[in-house]
Amino acid sequence: MSGWLGVVSAAHVRRGMNLGIAQINHGKRAPLARMKAGDTLVYYSPTEQRGDTVPLRAFTAAGVFPDDDIWQADEGDFRPYRRRIDYFAVSPVPLAQLRSSLQLTTAPNWGYQLRRGLVPLGEHDLNTLLKVMNA
């Protein structure tokens, strides 16, 4: 089992939670295929809405993948790939509250890796995030 950090706006995270799905990198298949059944995904939302100029910078949701099924949804002109995910009952936590506790944020320019949209999380960071989000 592995931990992952997905970078998605808070509004898109909430939509995914309502649908019980995970979607990464604007619906690309490859990031979803990197994760396996039993893996945990934590969402980091840099903004409330995609394209916002006001930062949110919060960890907004977390869940576990129950299976390895990936499918392509049909939303007219938009056909994103998705996976089922069982979301945990957690509360959003601002990055500022955890920044000094995470290994992810210790390197200079650590934020550049978030541009990939999906980042592996070490066991320490995954456990720290889940503990604080469950508090």
Side-chain angles (χ1 to χ4, degrees):
M1 295 187 291
S2 299
W4 300 90
L5 184 71
V7 182
V8 177
S9 74
H12 285 177
V13 169
R14 284 191 301 277
R15 183 168 188 259
M17 290 174 71
N18 290 335
L19 296 171
I21 59 102
Q23 184 176 304
I24 304 290
N25 287 17
H26 311 291
K28 292 182 179 154
R29 187 182 193 288
L32 293 176
R34 291 178 63 194
M35 298 176 279
K36 304 297 178 209
D39 284 0
T40 300
L41 174 65
V42 176
Y43 277 116
Y44 172 74
S45 299
T47 59
E48 176 61 35
Q49 297 271 352
R50 186 171 180 243
D52 279 357
T53 57
V54 177
L56 176 62
R57 295 186 184 124
F59 299 96
T60 50
V64 65
F65 293 104
D67 57 46
D68 288 319
D69 295 337
I70 300 172
W71 74 93
Q72 192 169 23
D74 187 355
E75 294 189 7
D77 291 342
F78 184 48
R79 296 185 43 96
Y81 286 93
R82 296 177 172 165
R83 287 183 68 164
R84 277 186 337 112
I85 187 168
D86 296 329
Y87 284 101
F88 304 137
V90 296
S91 298
V93 175
L95 168 65
Q97 183 177 332
L98 289 168
R99 189 169 181 175
S100 63
S101 303
L102 299 174
Q103 294 171 349
L104 173 75
T105 57
T106 58
N109 300 320
W110 67 270
Y112 282 114
Q113 64 188 320
L114 300 181
R115 292 178 177 211
R116 290 182 278 173
L118 184 67
V119 179
L121 275 178
E123 186 176 347
H124 170 268
D125 285 358
L126 179 60
N127 291 336
T128 300
L129 285 164
L130 293 178
K131 180 180 177 184
V132 174
M133 293 175 83
N134 280 315

